[in-house]
Amino acid sequence: MATEPVAPDTSASEGPPSGGWKSTRDYFLAGLVATGFAVALSEMLASFFVSAPSLVLTIGQRFIDITPAALKDWAIAVFGTNDKAVLIGGIVVVTILIGGLLGVVARNRVQVAAVGFVAFGVLGYALGITDPLATAGATLLPAIAAAASGIAVLALLRRLLQGPAGSTGPVTAPTPESRRAFMTASGAAVVLAVGQVLVGRLASGRTQSAVAAREQVTLPTVAASPSTTAAPASTTTAATTAATVEEATVAETAATTATTRAEEVVRVVADPTPAQIAQVEGVSELITPNEDFYRIDTALSFPSVDLDTWEVSFTGLVDSPFSLTYDELVALPMVERYITICCVSNSVGGELIGNAKWLGVPLRDLVEQAGVQPEGTQLIGRSVDRFTVGFPTAAVFDGREALLAIGMNGEPLPVKHGFPARLVVSGLYGYVSATKWLSEVEFARWDDFDAYWIPRGWAKEAPIKTQSRIDTPRPGTVDVGTQAIAGVAWAQNRGIDMVEVQVDGGPWMEAILPEELAIDTWRQWHVEYDFTPGSHTIAVRATDRTGTTQTSQIVPPRPDGATGYHTVQVVAV
Ligand SMILES: Nc1nc2c(c(=O)[nH]1)N[C@H]1C(S)=C(S)[C@@H](COP(=O)(O)O)O[C@H]1N2
Ligand SMILES: [Mo]
């Protein structure tokens, strides 16, 4: 090839690299292709087995675990909820770029490049095996496949570039024919790699096994209505013991299970009445649909739990440790409760909050069964992915709603919200209370253990602060004339007593509140306001049942929750 400098006649083990810049580029490309192929193959294999971790995801997960809090905050601030996608993309790009350098090395020293790929595989295995669901055998497979396929593809492309003599004689520039063959092979490898990624996505053994397991689950369901004539006898019997008007005690119909479980009881909660729901357009729905519910966790891929082996255990400073299988858990007496959960990272006016009907076993029943000892002042909730929360054991006994939940809005917990079981505690931020994919409830001394977020700069005790949010109007323009100003306010476990709205620093106007659903849920509010032309600033503040009005003082989420009034600027035209 005329444009290519003639390769200096140096031996493969000494002297400068041969072939100049164009050649370097070809070998770099070969390295990129080989590494991309290797990553794609190992990801595809990992997706076939629940016990084989994705090497890319485990590297990402370890990265998240060791990342200093400041970098994490920066990533969330810059990339928002895309931070995980950016991390995964970054890991893939960096890995493939390193592979490109290995390709350049392989031009003269193919063995050194091979060692590089083996190092990739070893590192992948070492990190992969730290995945809580990984088994050694299943982790070896993608690691070996990555190393072996990387070496094989690189060796093949190198051979094409160097021609038959390349393996023995000195490295020479490729002929036009060999370069064409190289480009064709590279293209084919890229196409294959993309295919592997697609197959992997479809197969995704982990997610699918949890999704499939979840679909098999039958929650303790409730008869259509205690008064329905078609209701099974057990239902009628149980209904006669109904505790309150709001709570009918109904036996499960065991719809799809063969056995009748007459003694199993669910205290259902009545659906909201029209008087409890604001009839205002633009306000958040009183019950957040599962699809719209915010999601916050440190998991890069959702932990996939095998229901046949899953257990939740009660351990630590207790008299009678025990564990429950999923079937045993589901068979326990359950309650339904409307509880609003929210994230401490929610900024004023933010969206990291939602309200759901949770079905679960009162945590108090389980803690009493375990017999927590007086020194067991901290309840630690551990997850299958090794996340932890910790809150005062006293919260289980102070009368608040605290559930070991298995159902959300009438469905088994969605995988991303913690299937098969999670904690939900009224009045405590999620990071100290709401363990998803729960595996263990352990009791310890308060000072003996700090849960996941505590060393990362967040408060150890984190009661939810009284807050309110304007949902409508949104910032922007509104029509001149009478418009609804509406939103939600929350003070879980205390209840919202009053919401006030202020426009342009004028008098505070008391908002209309529908009847309260529960002190554990947010409350919708609204006022009608006559907007005059021009720009306006709307502010809101809530007062809880203890008589405390939310503070106007502006503080950021860290360390224990943001405060300040939510304000919205509009221009009426
Ligand atoms: N296993 C696990 N559980 C977890 C978390 C987590 O990172 N891992 N995050 C907590 C935090 S910070 C919050 S705010 C809630 C969010 O619950 P959601 O995603 O169902 O809304 O889950 C909590 N439970
Ligand atoms: Mo959170």
PDB file of all heavy atoms in Angstrom, residues 8-35:
ATOM      1  N   PRO A   8       9.620  -1.143   9.382  1.00  0.00           N
ATOM      2  CA  PRO A   8      11.043  -1.373   9.641  1.00  0.00           C
ATOM      3  C   PRO A   8      11.256  -2.851   9.941  1.00  0.00           C
ATOM      4  O   PRO A   8      10.391  -3.502  10.504  1.00  0.00           O
ATOM      5  CB  PRO A   8      11.337  -0.523  10.870  1.00  0.00           C
ATOM      6  CG  PRO A   8      10.105   0.284  11.146  1.00  0.00           C
ATOM      7  CD  PRO A   8       8.992  -0.339  10.410  1.00  0.00           C
ATOM      8  N   ASP A   9      12.394  -3.305   9.602  1.00  0.00           N
ATOM      9  CA  ASP A   9      12.634  -4.729   9.750  1.00  0.00           C
ATOM     10  C   ASP A   9      13.142  -5.043  11.154  1.00  0.00           C
ATOM     11  O   ASP A   9      14.309  -5.309  11.372  1.00  0.00           O
ATOM     12  CB  ASP A   9      13.636  -5.179   8.672  1.00  0.00           C
ATOM     13  CG  ASP A   9      13.726  -6.691   8.617  1.00  0.00           C
ATOM     14  OD1 ASP A   9      12.837  -7.364   9.195  1.00  0.00           O
ATOM     15  OD2 ASP A   9      14.673  -7.181   8.005  1.00  0.00           O
ATOM     16  N   THR A  10      12.262  -4.941  12.104  1.00  0.00           N
ATOM     17  CA  THR A  10      12.658  -5.238  13.470  1.00  0.00           C
ATOM     18  C   THR A  10      12.010  -6.538  13.912  1.00  0.00           C
ATOM     19  O   THR A  10      10.977  -6.923  13.398  1.00  0.00           O
ATOM     20  CB  THR A  10      12.212  -4.136  14.444  1.00  0.00           C
ATOM     21  OG1 THR A  10      10.814  -3.947  14.272  1.00  0.00           O
ATOM     22  CG2 THR A  10      12.925  -2.842  14.162  1.00  0.00           C
ATOM     23  N   SER A  11      12.591  -7.164  14.875  1.00  0.00           N
ATOM     24  CA  SER A  11      11.995  -8.393  15.355  1.00  0.00           C
ATOM     25  C   SER A  11      10.830  -8.066  16.274  1.00  0.00           C
ATOM     26  O   SER A  11      10.683  -6.943  16.756  1.00  0.00           O
ATOM     27  CB  SER A  11      13.023  -9.234  16.109  1.00  0.00           C
ATOM     28  OG  SER A  11      13.042  -8.838  17.464  1.00  0.00           O
ATOM     29  N   ALA A  12       9.993  -9.049  16.527  1.00  0.00           N
ATOM     30  CA  ALA A  12       8.754  -8.833  17.279  1.00  0.00           C
ATOM     31  C   ALA A  12       9.026  -8.466  18.726  1.00  0.00           C
ATOM     32  O   ALA A  12       8.194  -7.884  19.378  1.00  0.00           O
ATOM     33  CB  ALA A  12       7.884 -10.081  17.201  1.00  0.00           C
ATOM     34  N   SER A  13      10.172  -8.815  19.245  1.00  0.00           N
ATOM     35  CA  SER A  13      10.372  -8.631  20.680  1.00  0.00           C
ATOM     36  C   SER A  13      11.202  -7.396  21.012  1.00  0.00           C
ATOM     37  O   SER A  13      11.419  -7.095  22.161  1.00  0.00           O
ATOM     38  CB  SER A  13      11.058  -9.868  21.265  1.00  0.00           C
ATOM     39  OG  SER A  13      12.246 -10.099  20.529  1.00  0.00           O
ATOM     40  N   GLU A  14      11.663  -6.682  20.032  1.00  0.00           N
ATOM     41  CA  GLU A  14      12.439  -5.486  20.338  1.00  0.00           C
ATOM     42  C   GLU A  14      12.184  -4.410  19.297  1.00  0.00           C
ATOM     43  O   GLU A  14      11.515  -4.640  18.304  1.00  0.00           O
ATOM     44  CB  GLU A  14      13.929  -5.804  20.380  1.00  0.00           C
ATOM     45  CG  GLU A  14      14.435  -6.304  19.042  1.00  0.00           C
ATOM     46  CD  GLU A  14      15.886  -6.733  19.133  1.00  0.00           C
ATOM     47  OE1 GLU A  14      16.201  -7.647  19.913  1.00  0.00           O
ATOM     48  OE2 GLU A  14      16.688  -6.119  18.425  1.00  0.00           O
ATOM     49  N   GLY A  15      12.684  -3.202  19.579  1.00  0.00           N
ATOM     50  CA  GLY A  15      12.572  -2.127  18.611  1.00  0.00           C
ATOM     51  C   GLY A  15      11.210  -1.467  18.633  1.00  0.00           C
ATOM     52  O   GLY A  15      10.307  -1.891  19.331  1.00  0.00           O
ATOM     53  N   PRO A  16      11.101  -0.365  17.849  1.00  0.00           N
ATOM     54  CA  PRO A  16       9.860   0.395  17.837  1.00  0.00           C
ATOM     55  C   PRO A  16       8.747  -0.388  17.156  1.00  0.00           C
ATOM     56  O   PRO A  16       9.019  -1.242  16.323  1.00  0.00           O
ATOM     57  CB  PRO A  16      10.241   1.650  17.032  1.00  0.00           C
ATOM     58  CG  PRO A  16      11.353   1.219  16.160  1.00  0.00           C
ATOM     59  CD  PRO A  16      12.088   0.147  16.903  1.00  0.00           C
ATOM     60  N   PRO A  17       7.481  -0.073  17.487  1.00  0.00           N
ATOM     61  CA  PRO A  17       6.367  -0.737  16.828  1.00  0.00           C
ATOM     62  C   PRO A  17       6.433  -0.460  15.347  1.00  0.00           C
ATOM     63  O   PRO A  17       6.820   0.638  14.929  1.00  0.00           O
ATOM     64  CB  PRO A  17       5.134  -0.100  17.454  1.00  0.00           C
ATOM     65  CG  PRO A  17       5.606   0.714  18.611  1.00  0.00           C
ATOM     66  CD  PRO A  17       7.070   0.962  18.411  1.00  0.00           C
ATOM     67  N   SER A  18       6.069  -1.413  14.560  1.00  0.00           N
ATOM     68  CA  SER A  18       6.141  -1.248  13.118  1.00  0.00           C
ATOM     69  C   SER A  18       4.796  -0.812  12.566  1.00  0.00           C
ATOM     70  O   SER A  18       3.771  -0.982  13.169  1.00  0.00           O
ATOM     71  CB  SER A  18       6.532  -2.584  12.492  1.00  0.00           C
ATOM     72  OG  SER A  18       5.685  -3.595  13.003  1.00  0.00           O
ATOM     73  N   GLY A  19       4.849  -0.195  11.405  1.00  0.00           N
ATOM     74  CA  GLY A  19       3.612   0.062  10.685  1.00  0.00           C
ATOM     75  C   GLY A  19       3.087   1.464  10.804  1.00  0.00           C
ATOM     76  O   GLY A  19       2.171   1.830  10.105  1.00  0.00           O
ATOM     77  N   GLY A  20       3.615   2.278  11.742  1.00  0.00           N
ATOM     78  CA  GLY A  20       3.195   3.668  11.825  1.00  0.00           C
ATOM     79  C   GLY A  20       1.783   3.831  12.346  1.00  0.00           C
ATOM     80  O   GLY A  20       1.164   2.908  12.865  1.00  0.00           O
ATOM     81  N   TRP A  21       1.269   5.048  12.177  1.00  0.00           N
ATOM     82  CA  TRP A  21       0.004   5.450  12.801  1.00  0.00           C
ATOM     83  C   TRP A  21      -1.179   4.634  12.284  1.00  0.00           C
ATOM     84  O   TRP A  21      -2.025   4.184  13.048  1.00  0.00           O
ATOM     85  CB  TRP A  21      -0.180   6.956  12.604  1.00  0.00           C
ATOM     86  CG  TRP A  21      -1.551   7.374  12.170  1.00  0.00           C
ATOM     87  CD1 TRP A  21      -1.899   7.890  10.971  1.00  0.00           C
ATOM     88  CD2 TRP A  21      -2.756   7.326  12.942  1.00  0.00           C
ATOM     89  NE1 TRP A  21      -3.238   8.154  10.932  1.00  0.00           N
ATOM     90  CE2 TRP A  21      -3.785   7.814  12.143  1.00  0.00           C
ATOM     91  CE3 TRP A  21      -3.052   6.889  14.228  1.00  0.00           C
ATOM     92  CZ2 TRP A  21      -5.102   7.899  12.563  1.00  0.00           C
ATOM     93  CZ3 TRP A  21      -4.367   6.965  14.662  1.00  0.00           C
ATOM     94  CH2 TRP A  21      -5.376   7.476  13.836  1.00  0.00           C
ATOM     95  N   LYS A  22      -1.212   4.399  10.955  1.00  0.00           N
ATOM     96  CA  LYS A  22      -2.356   3.663  10.408  1.00  0.00           C
ATOM     97  C   LYS A  22      -2.417   2.255  10.960  1.00  0.00           C
ATOM     98  O   LYS A  22      -3.485   1.719  11.255  1.00  0.00           O
ATOM     99  CB  LYS A  22      -2.271   3.624   8.881  1.00  0.00           C
ATOM    100  CG  LYS A  22      -2.780   4.905   8.264  1.00  0.00           C
ATOM    101  CD  LYS A  22      -3.186   4.694   6.842  1.00  0.00           C
ATOM    102  CE  LYS A  22      -3.845   5.954   6.298  1.00  0.00           C
ATOM    103  NZ  LYS A  22      -3.907   5.933   4.850  1.00  0.00           N
ATOM    104  N   SER A  23      -1.244   1.685  11.093  1.00  0.00           N
ATOM    105  CA  SER A  23      -1.187   0.332  11.627  1.00  0.00           C
ATOM    106  C   SER A  23      -1.624   0.333  13.089  1.00  0.00           C
ATOM    107  O   SER A  23      -2.398  -0.509  13.522  1.00  0.00           O
ATOM    108  CB  SER A  23       0.232  -0.204  11.484  1.00  0.00           C
ATOM    109  OG  SER A  23       0.360  -1.391  12.229  1.00  0.00           O
ATOM    110  N   THR A  24      -1.120   1.341  13.843  1.00  0.00           N
ATOM    111  CA  THR A  24      -1.521   1.442  15.244  1.00  0.00           C
ATOM    112  C   THR A  24      -3.038   1.518  15.340  1.00  0.00           C
ATOM    113  O   THR A  24      -3.669   0.864  16.161  1.00  0.00           O
ATOM    114  CB  THR A  24      -0.908   2.713  15.869  1.00  0.00           C
ATOM    115  OG1 THR A  24       0.493   2.649  15.705  1.00  0.00           O
ATOM    116  CG2 THR A  24      -1.269   2.827  17.331  1.00  0.00           C
ATOM    117  N   ARG A  25      -3.623   2.313  14.438  1.00  0.00           N
ATOM    118  CA  ARG A  25      -5.073   2.475  14.441  1.00  0.00           C
ATOM    119  C   ARG A  25      -5.766   1.131  14.204  1.00  0.00           C
ATOM    120  O   ARG A  25      -6.730   0.783  14.878  1.00  0.00           O
ATOM    121  CB  ARG A  25      -5.454   3.464  13.338  1.00  0.00           C
ATOM    122  CG  ARG A  25      -6.902   3.852  13.304  1.00  0.00           C
ATOM    123  CD  ARG A  25      -7.225   4.488  11.976  1.00  0.00           C
ATOM    124  NE  ARG A  25      -6.886   3.602  10.868  1.00  0.00           N
ATOM    125  CZ  ARG A  25      -6.864   3.967   9.592  1.00  0.00           C
ATOM    126  NH1 ARG A  25      -7.101   5.217   9.263  1.00  0.00           N
ATOM    127  NH2 ARG A  25      -6.572   3.099   8.643  1.00  0.00           N
ATOM    128  N   ASP A  26      -5.241   0.341  13.266  1.00  0.00           N
ATOM    129  CA  ASP A  26      -5.846  -0.956  12.981  1.00  0.00           C
ATOM    130  C   ASP A  26      -5.803  -1.870  14.205  1.00  0.00           C
ATOM    131  O   ASP A  26      -6.779  -2.552  14.526  1.00  0.00           O
ATOM    132  CB  ASP A  26      -5.121  -1.647  11.818  1.00  0.00           C
ATOM    133  CG  ASP A  26      -5.540  -1.049  10.470  1.00  0.00           C
ATOM    134  OD1 ASP A  26      -6.555  -0.317  10.457  1.00  0.00           O
ATOM    135  OD2 ASP A  26      -4.852  -1.320   9.475  1.00  0.00           O
ATOM    136  N   TYR A  27      -4.642  -1.876  14.868  1.00  0.00           N
ATOM    137  CA  TYR A  27      -4.537  -2.768  16.031  1.00  0.00           C
ATOM    138  C   TYR A  27      -5.391  -2.277  17.188  1.00  0.00           C
ATOM    139  O   TYR A  27      -5.950  -3.066  17.953  1.00  0.00           O
ATOM    140  CB  TYR A  27      -3.071  -2.925  16.453  1.00  0.00           C
ATOM    141  CG  TYR A  27      -2.321  -3.843  15.514  1.00  0.00           C
ATOM    142  CD1 TYR A  27      -1.609  -3.344  14.432  1.00  0.00           C
ATOM    143  CD2 TYR A  27      -2.369  -5.224  15.698  1.00  0.00           C
ATOM    144  CE1 TYR A  27      -0.958  -4.174  13.552  1.00  0.00           C
ATOM    145  CE2 TYR A  27      -1.718  -6.073  14.819  1.00  0.00           C
ATOM    146  CZ  TYR A  27      -1.012  -5.536  13.746  1.00  0.00           C
ATOM    147  OH  TYR A  27      -0.375  -6.381  12.866  1.00  0.00           O
ATOM    148  N   PHE A  28      -5.490  -0.960  17.303  1.00  0.00           N
ATOM    149  CA  PHE A  28      -6.372  -0.399  18.330  1.00  0.00           C
ATOM    150  C   PHE A  28      -7.804  -0.845  18.058  1.00  0.00           C
ATOM    151  O   PHE A  28      -8.516  -1.304  18.954  1.00  0.00           O
ATOM    152  CB  PHE A  28      -6.270   1.137  18.316  1.00  0.00           C
ATOM    153  CG  PHE A  28      -7.002   1.818  19.436  1.00  0.00           C
ATOM    154  CD1 PHE A  28      -6.544   1.707  20.752  1.00  0.00           C
ATOM    155  CD2 PHE A  28      -8.150   2.562  19.201  1.00  0.00           C
ATOM    156  CE1 PHE A  28      -7.210   2.327  21.797  1.00  0.00           C
ATOM    157  CE2 PHE A  28      -8.825   3.189  20.235  1.00  0.00           C
ATOM    158  CZ  PHE A  28      -8.350   3.072  21.540  1.00  0.00           C
ATOM    159  N   LEU A  29      -8.197  -0.748  16.794  1.00  0.00           N
ATOM    160  CA  LEU A  29      -9.540  -1.183  16.403  1.00  0.00           C
ATOM    161  C   LEU A  29      -9.728  -2.670  16.713  1.00  0.00           C
ATOM    162  O   LEU A  29     -10.759  -3.082  17.249  1.00  0.00           O
ATOM    163  CB  LEU A  29      -9.749  -0.915  14.905  1.00  0.00           C
ATOM    164  CG  LEU A  29     -11.113  -1.319  14.350  1.00  0.00           C
ATOM    165  CD1 LEU A  29     -12.214  -0.474  14.978  1.00  0.00           C
ATOM    166  CD2 LEU A  29     -11.142  -1.149  12.826  1.00  0.00           C
ATOM    167  N   ALA A  30      -8.708  -3.466  16.411  1.00  0.00           N
ATOM    168  CA  ALA A  30      -8.803  -4.901  16.690  1.00  0.00           C
ATOM    169  C   ALA A  30      -9.036  -5.140  18.181  1.00  0.00           C
ATOM    170  O   ALA A  30      -9.851  -5.985  18.575  1.00  0.00           O
ATOM    171  CB  ALA A  30      -7.534  -5.610  16.235  1.00  0.00           C
ATOM    172  N   GLY A  31      -8.330  -4.359  19.006  1.00  0.00           N
ATOM    173  CA  GLY A  31      -8.495  -4.502  20.455  1.00  0.00           C
ATOM    174  C   GLY A  31      -9.893  -4.098  20.906  1.00  0.00           C
ATOM    175  O   GLY A  31     -10.513  -4.763  21.738  1.00  0.00           O
ATOM    176  N   LEU A  32     -10.394  -3.013  20.343  1.00  0.00           N
ATOM    177  CA  LEU A  32     -11.753  -2.574  20.676  1.00  0.00           C
ATOM    178  C   LEU A  32     -12.764  -3.658  20.336  1.00  0.00           C
ATOM    179  O   LEU A  32     -13.632  -4.009  21.140  1.00  0.00           O
ATOM    180  CB  LEU A  32     -12.134  -1.305  19.882  1.00  0.00           C
ATOM    181  CG  LEU A  32     -11.392   0.000  20.094  1.00  0.00           C
ATOM    182  CD1 LEU A  32     -12.014   1.105  19.228  1.00  0.00           C
ATOM    183  CD2 LEU A  32     -11.438   0.418  21.552  1.00  0.00           C
ATOM    184  N   VAL A  33     -12.623  -4.180  19.118  1.00  0.00           N
ATOM    185  CA  VAL A  33     -13.589  -5.178  18.647  1.00  0.00           C
ATOM    186  C   VAL A  33     -13.518  -6.429  19.522  1.00  0.00           C
ATOM    187  O   VAL A  33     -14.541  -6.960  19.963  1.00  0.00           O
ATOM    188  CB  VAL A  33     -13.321  -5.518  17.165  1.00  0.00           C
ATOM    189  CG1 VAL A  33     -14.147  -6.729  16.737  1.00  0.00           C
ATOM    190  CG2 VAL A  33     -13.631  -4.312  16.279  1.00  0.00           C
ATOM    191  N   ALA A  34     -12.301  -6.896  19.776  1.00  0.00           N
ATOM    192  CA  ALA A  34     -12.144  -8.120  20.568  1.00  0.00           C
ATOM    193  C   ALA A  34     -12.731  -7.936  21.966  1.00  0.00           C
ATOM    194  O   ALA A  34     -13.420  -8.820  22.495  1.00  0.00           O
ATOM    195  CB  ALA A  34     -10.664  -8.490  20.657  1.00  0.00           C
ATOM    196  N   THR A  35     -12.476  -6.777  22.565  1.00  0.00           N
ATOM    197  CA  THR A  35     -12.963  -6.547  23.920  1.00  0.00           C
ATOM    198  C   THR A  35     -14.484  -6.390  23.935  1.00  0.00           C
ATOM    199  O   THR A  35     -15.167  -6.924  24.806  1.00  0.00           O
ATOM    200  CB  THR A  35     -12.299  -5.290  24.519  1.00  0.00           C
ATOM    201  OG1 THR A  35     -10.897  -5.384  24.290  1.00  0.00           O
ATOM    202  CG2 THR A  35     -12.566  -5.188  26.003  1.00  0.00           C
TER     203      THR A  35
END
